[in-house]
Amino acid sequence: MDDNRVWNFEESLWTGDADQYHALIDDECVMVLPEQPFVLTGAQAIEAVSKTPRWSSVTFSEQQIMRPQEGLIAIAYKAEAQREGADGYVAYCTTTMRRLEHEEWRVVQHQQTPAPITSAA
């Protein structure tokens, strides 16, 4: 998967609906998110997303892509997400994807650490 496709794939997980999550999250995925229950399986993450308003937009910075072996991609980045009627959200994230078949990828790991809130001086 080329770099642009990696980032489009990741963006779709922030802005897509539960069907998108179901299509791209592996059953054996593990996630660590900043809200209870904190540690989720793939099925639990899909269920949580189906009950959560989606982000209307997200931008990535500080992006890193690693390809430690054929069929495995690990990324790290800073995400800044917005949705109407809510405060923005900034977090540092990692995602690991594995290839199942040609051009078919699934997330097997995702983690979010909220960025520290900084105040203007």
Side-chain angles (χ1 to χ4, degrees):
M1 183 171 0
D2 70 28
D3 289 3
N4 285 334
R5 185 164 172 229
V6 167
W7 296 115
N8 289 336
F9 180 102
E10 189 70 7
E11 181 179 354
S12 77
L13 293 168
W14 285 80
T15 59
D17 60 15
D19 289 339
Q20 181 76 359
Y21 244 66
H22 191 269
L24 300 180
I25 302 296
D26 196 272
D27 291 341
E28 295 299 314
C29 183
V30 63
M31 291 192 182
V32 176
L33 301 175
E35 294 183 13
Q36 289 188 351
F38 302 110
V39 178
L40 298 100
T41 65
Q44 290 169 326
I46 292 165
E47 176 68 20
V49 166
S50 69
K51 298 176 182 174
T52 304
R54 305 306 301 142
W55 297 105
S56 55
S57 67
V58 64
T59 56
F60 301 138
S61 60
E62 302 181 37
Q63 297 157 281
Q64 300 288 323
I65 297 179
M66 303 305 212
R67 293 176 171 87
Q69 70 181 50
E70 181 68 27
L72 191 64
I73 297 173
I75 62 174
Y77 59 94
K78 180 180 179 181
E80 297 182 57
Q82 291 80 35
R83 70 173 152 238
E84 196 170 316
D87 290 338
Y89 175 66
V90 180
Y92 290 90
C93 307
T94 63
T95 300
T96 305
M97 302 163 231
R98 72 179 174 115
R99 185 175 57 215
L100 299 180
E101 298 177 5
H102 180 71
E103 300 302 320
E104 185 178 351
W105 294 80
R106 296 287 184 279
V107 172
V108 294
Q109 175 277 328
H110 179 74
Q111 172 273 327
Q112 295 179 16
T113 301
I117 298 172
T118 57
S119 59

